[in-house]
Amino acid sequence: MRYIAIGDVHGQHRLLHQAIEDLDDGDTFFILLGDLNDSRLTCKAQDDASSLQCIYMAMNLMERGIGITLQSNHGTYLYRALLGGELIPYSTVCLLYTSPSPRDAHE
C-alpha cells in the first residue's frame, strides 16, 4: 500500500477530485492534512459549495476506509461558525480569535 498526503486544498474541489481520481489505484491510502475548506464562510454559494464538496470527498474516502482527515485551523473556523460563533474575517490570525471554543459550547 502506498500513502499519499494532500494538504491545503482550500476549497479547490476540482483539483482534489482530480488528484484522488489520478492517484486512487485501489492500493492507496489518502492522508488529508487539513485546510480542505476555505478559511471562512463567504456567504457566496459557489465558494461555500466548493468547500463542502471537498469535505464530502474526504468523508467518502473515510467511509471507504482509504483515507483519514486531520483537523486544521480552517476546519476549526468552520466548526466554530457552525456552532454559532463569529465568522472570522479572512485576515484574522487564528491566535487572535476570541469566540468561545467548541468545548465551551457544550457547557
Side-chain angles (χ1 to χ4, degrees), residues 60-78:
N60 179 267
L61 292 174
M62 290 186 287
E63 288 170 358
R64 292 171 47 204
I66 61 168
I68 189 169
T69 302
L70 304 179
Q71 180 63 294
S72 66
N73 59 325
H74 292 201
T76 300
Y77 297 159
L78 178 61

Side-chain angles (χ1 to χ4, degrees), residues 85-98:
E86 299 173 16
L87 295 179
I88 301 170
Y90 189 68
S91 61
T92 302
V93 176
C94 181
L95 294 175
L96 299 178
Y97 185 72
T98 59

Side-chain angles (χ1 to χ4, degrees), residues 30-46:
F30 293 91
I31 304 165
L32 302 177
L33 301 173
D35 289 357
L36 294 174
N37 58 294
D38 195 7
S39 64
R40 72 225 184 274
L41 294 176
T42 63
C43 299
K44 294 179 184 174
Q46 182 176 352

Side-chain angles (χ1 to χ4, degrees), residues 4 10 14 17-18 28 50 52 56 61 75 79 86 99:
I4 301 292
H10 298 285
R14 289 183 184 94
H17 176 77
Q18 189 65 52
T28 301
S50 293
L52 288 175
Y56 290 141
L61 292 174
Y79 183 61
E86 299 173 16
S99 289

